[in-house]
Amino acid sequence: MTTDIQHSHIGARADEAFRLRRSTRPRENGELARVLGDPKFGEHFTDHMVLIDYSEPGGWCDARVVPYGPLTLDPASAVLHYGQEVFEGLKVYRHADGHLRTFRPEINARRFALSAARLALPELPESLFIESIRQLAQADAGWVPHQSGASLYVRPFLIATEAFLGVRPSRQATYGVIASPAGSYFADADEGISLWLSRDYSRAGLGGTGAAKCGGNYAASLLAQQQAHAHGCAQVLFTDASTRTWVEEAGSMNIFFAFSDQTIVTPPLTGTILAGVTRDSVLRLARDMGYRAVERPVSIDEWQTAAVTGELREVFAAGTAAVITPIAELVGDDLLIETPGGGTESIAARLRAELTSIQYGTSHDRYAWMLDLGPVDS
Ligand code: COI
């Protein structure tokens, strides 16, 4: 990728690696206030972005925070042809003590490295990943919303930039981080969303890239997502590719089932499911709340039967963007399973309150999940 900054190699200290070039045209205050008043999701981008280049044999270099803007890519770049790309998603919260904090970023950093390894991309050191989040959050601190329920969604990504059409791993890559103020992912999700059971398409197969957070998985889900929308559903439910029996993921979220025997179940991580940070946190918080949290397969048949007998109390989805969202129904060609959870006393709502109170700093961070990104003025 072309760059306007001289090459500089990255030493042992990630915090000293970054150069900052401030935007000369930051968003004007009135417009920023308007955006932050109703940020929606993924529609507005902050004034800056992080870039770090990688090339063989030199490794990572030129860590920089620069004005947000288009990237210059050779049209032969591997990412444009073979989809060699991975990404992450995490949030930065503004706390009442004037500090910005983020939630369990080391898990995103490790998953980013695992995703990169699966896509034959270079692994970014954890310290650089975390420092890149801190640098961008500090540069664009004014973009972190004040209101509860809103945050700054941060999107790290890594693309293969070598200009070469042979099919082999790229020897050049660019890491980037952009950020976008975020409110709710789903409009009106409090009473639950509808899922469309995809019988035609799979998200991932054994030995594939299902456990990696790569753009290809999301591209492969879009047609099914389109079908879901055509059937009036907000998201698609994916089952296993081989037998179409076992529940895997709800769109881009992990899925949970709450049974009347105080058990909360989510499908196990067998290589086709993304290891969600929210998923892991929900398992921990559910145990703290007295539930038995279990990772085991759940079939569509079990879902249907348990909904009819009343053993299934609630179904909900979990992810960084959507937090915890109740699932009101599963719809298919010849199927309708209703699981009306919702309401402030639901298990999903209580788990969400527990999780977000830690994230927004209104309850004790008993697991030291929040990482302090430093104080800010505004
Ligand atoms: C996230 O929750 O961070 C996701 O990955 C969903 C996103 C693709 C919008």
Side-chain angles (χ1 to χ4, degrees), residues 41 87-90 108 111 153-155 185 213 218 252-253 274 278 318-323:
F41 183 87
F87 69 95
E88 268 303 325
L90 61 167
N108 296 91
R111 187 173 67 183
Y153 184 80
V154 179
R155 169 55 62 85
Y185 189 73
K213 202 164 176 70
Y218 294 78
S252 53
M253 299 170 289
L274 193 76
T278 312
T320 298
V323 195

PDB file of all heavy atoms in Angstrom, residues 41 87-90 108 111 153-155 185 213 218 252-253 274 278 318-323, ligand 1:
ATOM      1  N   PHE A  41     -25.922   2.267  13.704  1.00  0.00           N
ATOM      2  CA  PHE A  41     -24.772   1.350  13.727  1.00  0.00           C
ATOM      3  C   PHE A  41     -24.017   1.403  12.396  1.00  0.00           C
ATOM      4  O   PHE A  41     -24.612   1.171  11.337  1.00  0.00           O
ATOM      5  CB  PHE A  41     -25.201  -0.098  13.997  1.00  0.00           C
ATOM      6  CG  PHE A  41     -24.005  -1.021  14.088  1.00  0.00           C
ATOM      7  CD1 PHE A  41     -23.338  -1.205  15.291  1.00  0.00           C
ATOM      8  CD2 PHE A  41     -23.516  -1.664  12.959  1.00  0.00           C
ATOM      9  CE1 PHE A  41     -22.196  -1.997  15.369  1.00  0.00           C
ATOM     10  CE2 PHE A  41     -22.377  -2.468  13.029  1.00  0.00           C
ATOM     11  CZ  PHE A  41     -21.728  -2.637  14.229  1.00  0.00           C
ATOM     12  N   PHE A  87     -10.991  -9.645  10.268  1.00  0.00           N
ATOM     13  CA  PHE A  87     -11.332  -8.426  11.000  1.00  0.00           C
ATOM     14  C   PHE A  87     -11.746  -8.754  12.431  1.00  0.00           C
ATOM     15  O   PHE A  87     -11.849  -9.922  12.815  1.00  0.00           O
ATOM     16  CB  PHE A  87     -12.414  -7.625  10.267  1.00  0.00           C
ATOM     17  CG  PHE A  87     -13.781  -8.271  10.235  1.00  0.00           C
ATOM     18  CD1 PHE A  87     -14.735  -7.932  11.186  1.00  0.00           C
ATOM     19  CD2 PHE A  87     -14.120  -9.193   9.267  1.00  0.00           C
ATOM     20  CE1 PHE A  87     -16.013  -8.491  11.160  1.00  0.00           C
ATOM     21  CE2 PHE A  87     -15.391  -9.769   9.228  1.00  0.00           C
ATOM     22  CZ  PHE A  87     -16.334  -9.418  10.182  1.00  0.00           C
ATOM     23  N   GLU A  88     -11.983  -7.712  13.204  1.00  0.00           N
ATOM     24  CA  GLU A  88     -12.457  -7.847  14.589  1.00  0.00           C
ATOM     25  C   GLU A  88     -13.501  -6.781  14.866  1.00  0.00           C
ATOM     26  O   GLU A  88     -13.706  -5.871  14.043  1.00  0.00           O
ATOM     27  CB  GLU A  88     -11.300  -7.679  15.589  1.00  0.00           C
ATOM     28  CG  GLU A  88     -10.621  -8.979  15.988  1.00  0.00           C
ATOM     29  CD  GLU A  88     -11.620  -9.983  16.577  1.00  0.00           C
ATOM     30  OE1 GLU A  88     -12.559  -9.572  17.261  1.00  0.00           O
ATOM     31  OE2 GLU A  88     -11.449 -11.195  16.327  1.00  0.00           O
ATOM     32  N   GLY A  89     -14.155  -6.888  15.999  1.00  0.00           N
ATOM     33  CA  GLY A  89     -15.108  -5.860  16.404  1.00  0.00           C
ATOM     34  C   GLY A  89     -15.081  -5.757  17.921  1.00  0.00           C
ATOM     35  O   GLY A  89     -15.201  -6.773  18.605  1.00  0.00           O
ATOM     36  N   LEU A  90     -14.862  -4.558  18.446  1.00  0.00           N
ATOM     37  CA  LEU A  90     -14.925  -4.357  19.896  1.00  0.00           C
ATOM     38  C   LEU A  90     -15.416  -2.938  20.162  1.00  0.00           C
ATOM     39  O   LEU A  90     -15.536  -2.150  19.222  1.00  0.00           O
ATOM     40  CB  LEU A  90     -13.600  -4.675  20.576  1.00  0.00           C
ATOM     41  CG  LEU A  90     -12.319  -3.930  20.260  1.00  0.00           C
ATOM     42  CD1 LEU A  90     -11.265  -4.255  21.327  1.00  0.00           C
ATOM     43  CD2 LEU A  90     -11.729  -4.366  18.926  1.00  0.00           C
ATOM     44  N   ASN A 108      -9.995 -10.401  21.769  1.00  0.00           N
ATOM     45  CA  ASN A 108     -10.074 -10.010  20.352  1.00  0.00           C
ATOM     46  C   ASN A 108      -8.698 -10.109  19.702  1.00  0.00           C
ATOM     47  O   ASN A 108      -8.575 -10.544  18.552  1.00  0.00           O
ATOM     48  CB  ASN A 108     -10.588  -8.575  20.212  1.00  0.00           C
ATOM     49  CG  ASN A 108     -12.000  -8.426  20.719  1.00  0.00           C
ATOM     50  OD1 ASN A 108     -12.213  -8.126  21.881  1.00  0.00           O
ATOM     51  ND2 ASN A 108     -12.974  -8.677  19.866  1.00  0.00           N
ATOM     52  N   ARG A 111      -7.939 -13.756  19.086  1.00  0.00           N
ATOM     53  CA  ARG A 111      -8.770 -14.292  18.014  1.00  0.00           C
ATOM     54  C   ARG A 111      -8.335 -13.708  16.661  1.00  0.00           C
ATOM     55  O   ARG A 111      -8.339 -14.403  15.643  1.00  0.00           O
ATOM     56  CB  ARG A 111     -10.245 -13.962  18.289  1.00  0.00           C
ATOM     57  CG  ARG A 111     -11.197 -14.638  17.316  1.00  0.00           C
ATOM     58  CD  ARG A 111     -12.636 -14.433  17.724  1.00  0.00           C
ATOM     59  NE  ARG A 111     -13.045 -13.042  17.624  1.00  0.00           N
ATOM     60  CZ  ARG A 111     -14.240 -12.582  17.970  1.00  0.00           C
ATOM     61  NH1 ARG A 111     -15.157 -13.417  18.442  1.00  0.00           N
ATOM     62  NH2 ARG A 111     -14.546 -11.306  17.842  1.00  0.00           N
ATOM     63  N   TYR A 153     -17.820   1.757  18.354  1.00  0.00           N
ATOM     64  CA  TYR A 153     -17.500   0.435  17.811  1.00  0.00           C
ATOM     65  C   TYR A 153     -16.194   0.554  17.026  1.00  0.00           C
ATOM     66  O   TYR A 153     -16.049   1.426  16.172  1.00  0.00           O
ATOM     67  CB  TYR A 153     -18.629  -0.034  16.888  1.00  0.00           C
ATOM     68  CG  TYR A 153     -18.438  -1.434  16.350  1.00  0.00           C
ATOM     69  CD1 TYR A 153     -18.741  -2.550  17.118  1.00  0.00           C
ATOM     70  CD2 TYR A 153     -17.960  -1.637  15.061  1.00  0.00           C
ATOM     71  CE1 TYR A 153     -18.569  -3.837  16.618  1.00  0.00           C
ATOM     72  CE2 TYR A 153     -17.788  -2.918  14.551  1.00  0.00           C
ATOM     73  CZ  TYR A 153     -18.097  -4.012  15.345  1.00  0.00           C
ATOM     74  OH  TYR A 153     -17.924  -5.284  14.844  1.00  0.00           O
ATOM     75  N   VAL A 154     -15.250  -0.314  17.341  1.00  0.00           N
ATOM     76  CA  VAL A 154     -13.922  -0.242  16.730  1.00  0.00           C
ATOM     77  C   VAL A 154     -13.731  -1.460  15.849  1.00  0.00           C
ATOM     78  O   VAL A 154     -14.020  -2.585  16.260  1.00  0.00           O
ATOM     79  CB  VAL A 154     -12.835  -0.178  17.833  1.00  0.00           C
ATOM     80  CG1 VAL A 154     -11.450  -0.116  17.211  1.00  0.00           C
ATOM     81  CG2 VAL A 154     -13.070   1.020  18.734  1.00  0.00           C
ATOM     82  N   ARG A 155     -13.274  -1.237  14.646  1.00  0.00           N
ATOM     83  CA  ARG A 155     -13.184  -2.310  13.658  1.00  0.00           C
ATOM     84  C   ARG A 155     -11.736  -2.457  13.146  1.00  0.00           C
ATOM     85  O   ARG A 155     -11.334  -1.797  12.194  1.00  0.00           O
ATOM     86  CB  ARG A 155     -14.134  -1.988  12.503  1.00  0.00           C
ATOM     87  CG  ARG A 155     -14.022  -2.834  11.262  1.00  0.00           C
ATOM     88  CD  ARG A 155     -14.165  -4.314  11.524  1.00  0.00           C
ATOM     89  NE  ARG A 155     -15.418  -4.740  12.057  1.00  0.00           N
ATOM     90  CZ  ARG A 155     -16.527  -5.036  11.348  1.00  0.00           C
ATOM     91  NH1 ARG A 155     -16.496  -4.926  10.050  1.00  0.00           N
ATOM     92  NH2 ARG A 155     -17.616  -5.464  11.946  1.00  0.00           N
ATOM     93  N   TYR A 185     -27.849  -2.280  17.545  1.00  0.00           N
ATOM     94  CA  TYR A 185     -27.634  -2.934  16.248  1.00  0.00           C
ATOM     95  C   TYR A 185     -28.977  -3.199  15.563  1.00  0.00           C
ATOM     96  O   TYR A 185     -29.126  -3.015  14.365  1.00  0.00           O
ATOM     97  CB  TYR A 185     -26.865  -4.241  16.451  1.00  0.00           C
ATOM     98  CG  TYR A 185     -26.414  -4.854  15.145  1.00  0.00           C
ATOM     99  CD1 TYR A 185     -25.367  -4.294  14.430  1.00  0.00           C
ATOM    100  CD2 TYR A 185     -27.041  -5.971  14.615  1.00  0.00           C
ATOM    101  CE1 TYR A 185     -24.952  -4.825  13.217  1.00  0.00           C
ATOM    102  CE2 TYR A 185     -26.636  -6.511  13.405  1.00  0.00           C
ATOM    103  CZ  TYR A 185     -25.586  -5.937  12.717  1.00  0.00           C
ATOM    104  OH  TYR A 185     -25.182  -6.467  11.519  1.00  0.00           O
ATOM    105  N   LYS A 213     -12.679 -15.005  11.989  1.00  0.00           N
ATOM    106  CA  LYS A 213     -13.526 -13.850  11.678  1.00  0.00           C
ATOM    107  C   LYS A 213     -12.991 -13.243  10.380  1.00  0.00           C
ATOM    108  O   LYS A 213     -12.150 -12.347  10.390  1.00  0.00           O
ATOM    109  CB  LYS A 213     -13.502 -12.852  12.832  1.00  0.00           C
ATOM    110  CG  LYS A 213     -14.695 -11.927  12.855  1.00  0.00           C
ATOM    111  CD  LYS A 213     -14.834 -11.251  14.197  1.00  0.00           C
ATOM    112  CE  LYS A 213     -15.971 -10.244  14.222  1.00  0.00           C
ATOM    113  NZ  LYS A 213     -17.293 -10.848  14.166  1.00  0.00           N
ATOM    114  N   TYR A 218     -18.805 -13.785   6.048  1.00  0.00           N
ATOM    115  CA  TYR A 218     -19.927 -12.849   6.059  1.00  0.00           C
ATOM    116  C   TYR A 218     -20.481 -12.690   4.647  1.00  0.00           C
ATOM    117  O   TYR A 218     -21.699 -12.609   4.447  1.00  0.00           O
ATOM    118  CB  TYR A 218     -19.486 -11.515   6.681  1.00  0.00           C
ATOM    119  CG  TYR A 218     -19.163 -11.699   8.149  1.00  0.00           C
ATOM    120  CD1 TYR A 218     -17.958 -12.267   8.551  1.00  0.00           C
ATOM    121  CD2 TYR A 218     -20.086 -11.389   9.130  1.00  0.00           C
ATOM    122  CE1 TYR A 218     -17.664 -12.497   9.889  1.00  0.00           C
ATOM    123  CE2 TYR A 218     -19.810 -11.599  10.469  1.00  0.00           C
ATOM    124  CZ  TYR A 218     -18.597 -12.158  10.840  1.00  0.00           C
ATOM    125  OH  TYR A 218     -18.334 -12.387  12.171  1.00  0.00           O
ATOM    126  N   SER A 252     -24.751 -13.160  12.532  1.00  0.00           N
ATOM    127  CA  SER A 252     -23.376 -12.961  12.975  1.00  0.00           C
ATOM    128  C   SER A 252     -23.275 -13.040  14.498  1.00  0.00           C
ATOM    129  O   SER A 252     -22.360 -12.480  15.084  1.00  0.00           O
ATOM    130  CB  SER A 252     -22.882 -11.614  12.462  1.00  0.00           C
ATOM    131  OG  SER A 252     -23.794 -10.609  12.841  1.00  0.00           O
ATOM    132  N   MET A 253     -24.202 -13.771  15.122  1.00  0.00           N
ATOM    133  CA  MET A 253     -24.190 -13.853  16.594  1.00  0.00           C
ATOM    134  C   MET A 253     -24.184 -15.310  17.059  1.00  0.00           C
ATOM    135  O   MET A 253     -24.652 -16.196  16.359  1.00  0.00           O
ATOM    136  CB  MET A 253     -25.451 -13.179  17.156  1.00  0.00           C
ATOM    137  CG  MET A 253     -25.570 -11.704  16.812  1.00  0.00           C
ATOM    138  SD  MET A 253     -27.185 -11.039  17.246  1.00  0.00           S
ATOM    139  CE  MET A 253     -28.240 -11.794  16.054  1.00  0.00           C
ATOM    140  N   LEU A 274     -17.939 -19.185  15.575  1.00  0.00           N
ATOM    141  CA  LEU A 274     -17.017 -18.161  16.056  1.00  0.00           C
ATOM    142  C   LEU A 274     -17.023 -18.125  17.589  1.00  0.00           C
ATOM    143  O   LEU A 274     -18.086 -18.125  18.203  1.00  0.00           O
ATOM    144  CB  LEU A 274     -17.431 -16.795  15.510  1.00  0.00           C
ATOM    145  CG  LEU A 274     -16.367 -15.718  15.688  1.00  0.00           C
ATOM    146  CD1 LEU A 274     -15.240 -15.893  14.673  1.00  0.00           C
ATOM    147  CD2 LEU A 274     -16.972 -14.340  15.551  1.00  0.00           C
ATOM    148  N   THR A 278     -18.565 -12.056  23.708  1.00  0.00           N
ATOM    149  CA  THR A 278     -19.809 -11.943  24.477  1.00  0.00           C
ATOM    150  C   THR A 278     -20.278 -13.345  24.877  1.00  0.00           C
ATOM    151  O   THR A 278     -20.744 -13.551  26.000  1.00  0.00           O
ATOM    152  CB  THR A 278     -20.892 -11.210  23.661  1.00  0.00           C
ATOM    153  OG1 THR A 278     -20.307 -10.032  23.103  1.00  0.00           O
ATOM    154  CG2 THR A 278     -22.073 -10.824  24.517  1.00  0.00           C
ATOM    155  N   ALA A 318     -26.092 -13.500  21.152  1.00  0.00           N
ATOM    156  CA  ALA A 318     -25.089 -12.662  21.798  1.00  0.00           C
ATOM    157  C   ALA A 318     -23.970 -12.328  20.819  1.00  0.00           C
ATOM    158  O   ALA A 318     -23.520 -13.187  20.065  1.00  0.00           O
ATOM    159  CB  ALA A 318     -24.519 -13.382  23.018  1.00  0.00           C
ATOM    160  N   GLY A 319     -23.552 -11.072  20.850  1.00  0.00           N
ATOM    161  CA  GLY A 319     -22.441 -10.635  20.002  1.00  0.00           C
ATOM    162  C   GLY A 319     -22.012  -9.247  20.436  1.00  0.00           C
ATOM    163  O   GLY A 319     -22.748  -8.567  21.157  1.00  0.00           O
ATOM    164  N   THR A 320     -20.858  -8.808  19.997  1.00  0.00           N
ATOM    165  CA  THR A 320     -20.372  -7.491  20.404  1.00  0.00           C
ATOM    166  C   THR A 320     -21.320  -6.401  19.919  1.00  0.00           C
ATOM    167  O   THR A 320     -21.692  -5.508  20.683  1.00  0.00           O
ATOM    168  CB  THR A 320     -18.962  -7.252  19.825  1.00  0.00           C
ATOM    169  OG1 THR A 320     -18.102  -8.249  20.374  1.00  0.00           O
ATOM    170  CG2 THR A 320     -18.443  -5.870  20.163  1.00  0.00           C
ATOM    171  N   ALA A 321     -21.690  -6.463  18.653  1.00  0.00           N
ATOM    172  CA  ALA A 321     -22.526  -5.396  18.091  1.00  0.00           C
ATOM    173  C   ALA A 321     -23.925  -5.423  18.698  1.00  0.00           C
ATOM    174  O   ALA A 321     -24.464  -4.400  19.100  1.00  0.00           O
ATOM    175  CB  ALA A 321     -22.594  -5.532  16.575  1.00  0.00           C
ATOM    176  N   ALA A 322     -24.520  -6.621  18.774  1.00  0.00           N
ATOM    177  CA  ALA A 322     -25.917  -6.726  19.193  1.00  0.00           C
ATOM    178  C   ALA A 322     -26.072  -6.940  20.700  1.00  0.00           C
ATOM    179  O   ALA A 322     -27.194  -6.979  21.199  1.00  0.00           O
ATOM    180  CB  ALA A 322     -26.591  -7.857  18.436  1.00  0.00           C
ATOM    181  N   VAL A 323     -24.990  -7.101  21.425  1.00  0.00           N
ATOM    182  CA  VAL A 323     -24.953  -7.379  22.866  1.00  0.00           C
ATOM    183  C   VAL A 323     -25.751  -8.665  23.127  1.00  0.00           C
ATOM    184  O   VAL A 323     -25.331  -9.728  22.701  1.00  0.00           O
ATOM    185  CB  VAL A 323     -25.464  -6.178  23.698  1.00  0.00           C
ATOM    186  CG1 VAL A 323     -25.069  -6.345  25.169  1.00  0.00           C
ATOM    187  CG2 VAL A 323     -24.882  -4.870  23.173  1.00  0.00           C
TER     188      VAL A 323
HETATM  189  C1  COI B   1     -19.794  -8.083  16.061  1.00  0.00           C
HETATM  190  O1  COI B   1     -20.675  -8.295  16.869  1.00  0.00           O
HETATM  191  O2  COI B   1     -18.755  -7.442  16.311  1.00  0.00           O
HETATM  192  C2  COI B   1     -19.941  -8.626  14.748  1.00  0.00           C
HETATM  193  O3  COI B   1     -19.058  -9.259  14.272  1.00  0.00           O
HETATM  194  C3  COI B   1     -21.134  -8.319  14.016  1.00  0.00           C
HETATM  195  C4  COI B   1     -20.750  -7.437  12.894  1.00  0.00           C
HETATM  196  C5  COI B   1     -20.328  -8.245  11.713  1.00  0.00           C
HETATM  197  C6  COI B   1     -21.710  -6.366  12.637  1.00  0.00           C
END
